[in-house]
Every structure is written in C-alpha cells, then in structure tokens.
RNA sequence: GUGGGUGUAGCUCAGUUGGUUAGAGCGCAGGAUUGUGGCUCCUGAGGCCGUGGGUUCAAUUCCCAUCACUCACCCCA
C-alpha cells in the first residue's frame, strides 16, 4: 500500500488549514460586499465542454486534462478551470432570464496534469469571479479592480497588472492573418513554427530568446483592433486610472485559452518562483454562443490560492489563523469527576466559549500541559474536593493566578473576565 | 513531455573511506514527595537509511532502474 497522496496533490493540515480558512473567508467577504453570489459547479464535466469551450488546440486540452470514461461510457474530465463550467451552468439554468449582469464567485479545486513545481499542483485551488450578461467597460474595470482589492486587502504591493486586448471576431482574424504572414517570413523556434498555423497568437507568448527579438518586430494586435474594440480597451484603461490602479499594456499577453476576446489580464508577482501569475482572466464574449447558447458576454478571473498563500507566507504577513482556546477543563479524580467535567465542558460551549478537555484522562500535570499547548486562556480545574464543595478553580494561564469560583457562577465569572479584556 | 538537484526517526539534519547493537537537536510519551502549564533535569517510544534489482564474503554506503520531492523549461493559477 502506497501511503502517499498522488503526485502533485497534497494534504493541507493544521495549522496551515487555519490559514486557508482565514484567507478564504476574508476573500468571501470582499465578494459579498460587491454583491457577488456564490456558485458551486461539479468537479467534473463532460469532456466536450472543455474541448469546445477552452479550445482543442490549447495546452490545457491537448495535454493537461484528467479525462476518463465513467462506467456508463461517458467521457468525463476533472475541471481544469472554472469559467467553462460556470457559463455552462448559466446557460443550463437560463440565468440570462434574470436580472443582468449575473455576478458569481467560486472557490474550489481545479485539476491539471502537469509536472509539479513551486506553486504548481495537479490539484490546485482557485477562487474566481464571473460576471455574465454585459460587456460595458465598467464591468471589465469592476472585475479587475476586485482582483486588485483582494491583493490590497492582504497588504500585498509587489505585483504588476499586465493588460491587453485581443480583439473580437471582427478584428482578430485580420490580425492573425497579418501575424501569420509576418512569422512565415521569419525563422522562429521549432515549436513556434508548429504553432504558426494552429494557434498563431501563442507564438507571441514564446519565451525563447531567438523568438523574442523577432516578436518585437511583429505587428501588434493593438494596431489592428476594430473601432469598437479599440474604444472598449481605452475606456477600460481610463476606468482603471480612475481607481488609481497601475497597469502595463502588454501586447504579447494572449492567454492560453481560446474563449478570450477583448480584455485579457494577468497579475504577476516578483515574490514567487517561475510560477508567478497569481491571478489571470479576461473577457469571453463568444463563449456562451460557442457552447450553443444565446449571446451572453462575460468576463472573469481565476486566482490561485496555493500561490497566493505561498506569497503571503513568503512575505511573512501575519495571518491570525488560529484563535486560542477560551477554556481548557482539567479534571482531577475518578469517573464521577470526569463525567461532571465532561458535562461542564458542554455547558461552557453552549455559553459560547471555545472549550476543550483532555479525553485521555491523564494526570493533572499532563492535562495542564495540554491546556498550555492548546493556547488556553483559562483553565477550569475540577477535582473531587471541589465537586464536594460545589466550586471549581479558575486559573488565568497568562497571569498564573488562580481563584476559587462557585460552580454555578463559572459562566458569569468567565464572561466577566472576557469582557474585561476587551475593555 | 525535457533537463538538474535531493531521498537516513514525526520535523531539521549528522554519519557509515562497504563490515556486528545507525546518531543529535527539536517534537512526542512518561517521570522529578502522592491535585496544576510555560523553564530545567531524568527516562522512554520511534528508522527493513524512498522502493526494486546488480556488484560483493558483506551494501544504508558503490552501480542501475524506479518512485517521490525539489528547481528550471513548457504553460499557467
């Protein structure tokens, strides 16, 4: 038996899991403040959804999908990204019939078959948003701003927003033709020469040094945008300026998924390794139609939580993940005392305190040790003597002081101590 | 998919120029006059030295393969 999580996957254990919980709930609050609603879609979908949605010639579909046949012979794929499933759900449930635009957020794992690396996992976690049913530049700016707001909420300043527009159905084909003509005259790396016909935009994405020089001379998409796309793009930039969000226009940013149109963006940080994109997204005005629905333009982003948290840890940002325990109960005596303590434990919890006790029934000394390790603010000591007199010992673990309290007054005494601390 | 590095206790790492019972620190468990934490001291548990094969009288040490981790490429979150 191989007792190891599969390659590229990992367990998130305490105390790390407390950091995750903390980060996720803070982000969720940000979404809620902006009137986004949660959507949960299945972890797997029909393979066809991604082939049609993401695009058959993309890296994701060509080599990164976890695809298998289920017992009914259906081809199933573990979702490699969040947008296609959300748009599928939007169409399936005819959400275009409701008040538009539809603003959704999600949290959850995504799956891609790749070689693991720092900040790259086969099962990784993303949070993201999708705004569907509108194509004004305000929506673009609102979505991008939201991404920045998350970074700022966590006091992260070491990032660069890369922005581009990759045009629409009207203007992009013209540009692509131009690009093909250009590259066919140049000598590019072998991979790129393969790409020229299949997915020419991706040649711009090549990091090969030989190609880099050639790329600089290549025609820029921005010069080929149709009037509508061009206006959209400059308005988005204007609105970002309005919010004082710095960005860098990057004509080589094309993104690896086919569904993108117009606005494309990525936020990179210098604080990770080679896997430095923590947030990426773009507009997808044609996706709904591509999937067989009505026109429903949308825009969204995905943010990598693994990388985000890695970045927070590298920055040693204080993450007050775990909250110390209010009370640890120490039982000293036989079963009668233990049972009484266990009963009191429940009463403490019902009164709203976080409380725990030693369920191994160890020696008083060891129980105190455990209380200390749990970070308990107070210990409540119940022994046979106390039980007889109807009292308990209440010990302040920071001060090291201890007072006797009538057992019925315990909750009140604790409440007083707690509010005393707040004031 | 390609290339480099690594793989000894729960964790961080020593070590064996091939040779009997493989070590430390931290952590964990228990204890230091019978009912009290954090400091100190004592004791203890825990390792088929990643897995499989080869060379050898002998391998945890050498060689090969494999798996995993890690860094980079590719690409992305």
């Amino acid at each position: 038996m191989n007792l190891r999580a599969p390659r590229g996957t990992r367990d998130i254990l305490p105390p790390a899991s407390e950091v995750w919980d903390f980060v996720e709930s803070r982000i969720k609050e940000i979404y809620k403040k902006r009137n986004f609603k949660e959507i949960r879609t299945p972890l797997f979908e029909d393979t066809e959804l991604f082939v049609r949605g993401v695009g058959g010639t993309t890296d994701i579909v060509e080599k990164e999908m976890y695809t298998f046949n289920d017992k009914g012979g259906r081809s199933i794929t573990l979702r490699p990204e969040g947008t296609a499933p959300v748009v599928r759900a939007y169409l399936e449930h005819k959400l275009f019939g409701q008040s538009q635009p539809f603003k959704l957020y999600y949290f959850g794992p995504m799956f891609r078959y790749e070689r693991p690396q720092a900040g790259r996992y086969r099962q990784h976690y993303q949070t993201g948003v999708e705004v569907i049913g509108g194509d004004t530049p305000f929506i673009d700016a609102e979505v991008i701003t939201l991404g920045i707001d998350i970074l700022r909420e966590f006091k992260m300043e070491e990032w660069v927003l890369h922005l581009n527009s990759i045009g629409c159905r009207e203007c992009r084909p013209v540009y692509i033709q131009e690009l093909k003509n250009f590259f066919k005259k140049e000598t590019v790396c072998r991979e790129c020469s393969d790409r020229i016909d299949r997915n020419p935009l991706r040649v711009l994405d090549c990091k090969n040094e030989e190609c880099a020089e050639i790329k600089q001379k290549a025609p820029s998409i921005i010069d080929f945008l149709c009037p509508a796309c061009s206006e959209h793009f400059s308005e988005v930039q204007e609105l970002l300026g309005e919010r004082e969000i710095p960005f860098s226009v990057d004509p080589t940013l094309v993104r690896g998924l086919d569904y993108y149109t117009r606005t494309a963006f990525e936020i990179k940080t210098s604080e990770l390794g080679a896997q430095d994109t923590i947030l990426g997204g773009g507009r997808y005005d044609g996706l709904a139609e591509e999937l067989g629905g009505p026109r429903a333009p949308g825009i969204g982003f995905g943010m990598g939580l693994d990388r985000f948290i890695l970045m927070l840890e590298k920055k040693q940002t204080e993450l007050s993940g775990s909250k110390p325990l209010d009370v640890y109960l120490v039982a000293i005596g036989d079963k009668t005392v233990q049972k009484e303590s266990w009963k009191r434990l429940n009463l403490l919890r019902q009164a709203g305190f976080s409380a725990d006790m030693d369920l191994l029934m160890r020696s008083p000394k060891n129980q105190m040790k455990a209380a200390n390790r749990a970070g308990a603010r107070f210990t409540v000591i119940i022994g046979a003597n106390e039980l007889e007199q109807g009292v308990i010992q209440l010990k302040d673990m920071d001060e090291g002081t201890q007072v006797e309290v009538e057992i019925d007054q315990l909750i009140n005494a604790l409440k007083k101590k707690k509010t005393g601390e707040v004031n």
Side-chain angles (χ1 to χ4, degrees), chain A residues 64-116:
Chain A
E64 294 174 3
M65 294 206 302
Y66 273 94
T67 298
F68 59 95
N69 289 322
D70 70 8
K71 293 188 179 184
R74 288 169 282 255
S75 180
I76 295 295
T77 293
L78 263 34
R79 67 180 185 197
E81 59 98 42
T83 301
V86 170
V87 172
R88 192 225 79 230
Y90 176 90
L91 297 172
E92 176 174 340
H93 303 285
K94 304 198 167 27
L95 299 180
F96 42 78
Q98 299 188 32
S99 173
Q100 301 294 301
F102 220 80
K103 295 162 61 171
L104 296 164
Y105 72 85
Y106 61 83
F107 286 84
M110 302 295 166
F111 306 86
R112 291 186 202 172
Y113 190 86
E114 297 179 275
R115 288 274 298 255

Side-chain angles (χ1 to χ4, degrees), chain A residues 195-312:
Chain A
R195 280 201 281 230
I196 288 172
D197 282 315
R198 300 175 54 232
N199 205 335
L201 282 182
R202 298 289 301 290
V203 180
L204 293 175
D205 224 15
C206 181
K207 271 94 185 170
N208 197 315
E209 279 184 29
E210 308 159 38
C211 300
E213 238 175 88
I214 299 165
K215 257 164 47 183
Q216 292 200 323
K217 291 180 288 178
S220 168
I221 175 83
I222 292 170
D223 300 325
F224 286 80
L225 294 178
C226 63
C229 285
S230 180
E231 195 190 335
H232 184 94
F233 190 41
S234 52
E235 278 184 48
V236 170
Q237 293 181 57
E238 203 178 300
L239 291 168
L240 290 175
E242 209 63 54
R243 289 271 173 95
E244 294 180 344
I245 290 171
F247 57 86
S248 138
V249 173
D250 179 359
T252 68
L253 171 67
V254 296
R255 311 273 305 143
L257 293 75
D258 281 356
Y259 54 60
Y260 287 118
T261 54
R262 291 192 167 173
T263 310
F265 60 98
E266 277 182 12
I267 296 176
K268 290 176 186 277
T269 171
S270 53
E271 300 189 34
L272 292 179
Q275 307 306 316
D276 57 356
T277 303
I278 57 172
L279 189 151
R283 178 161 280 291
Y284 43 86
D285 292 342
L287 179 55
E289 284 163 289
E290 185 63 37
L291 295 177
R295 177 180 151 78
I299 181 169
F301 68 70
M303 176 172 141
L305 286 171
D306 308 79
R307 288 177 190 178
F308 186 63
I309 288 169
L310 199 64
M311 191 176 161
L312 287 173

Side-chain angles (χ1 to χ4, degrees), chain A residues 366-380:
Chain A
N366 286 316
Q367 293 190 51
M368 290 303 292
K369 233 177 184 173
N372 191 54
R373 275 194 286 233
R377 184 70 188 78
F378 299 99
T379 46
V380 167

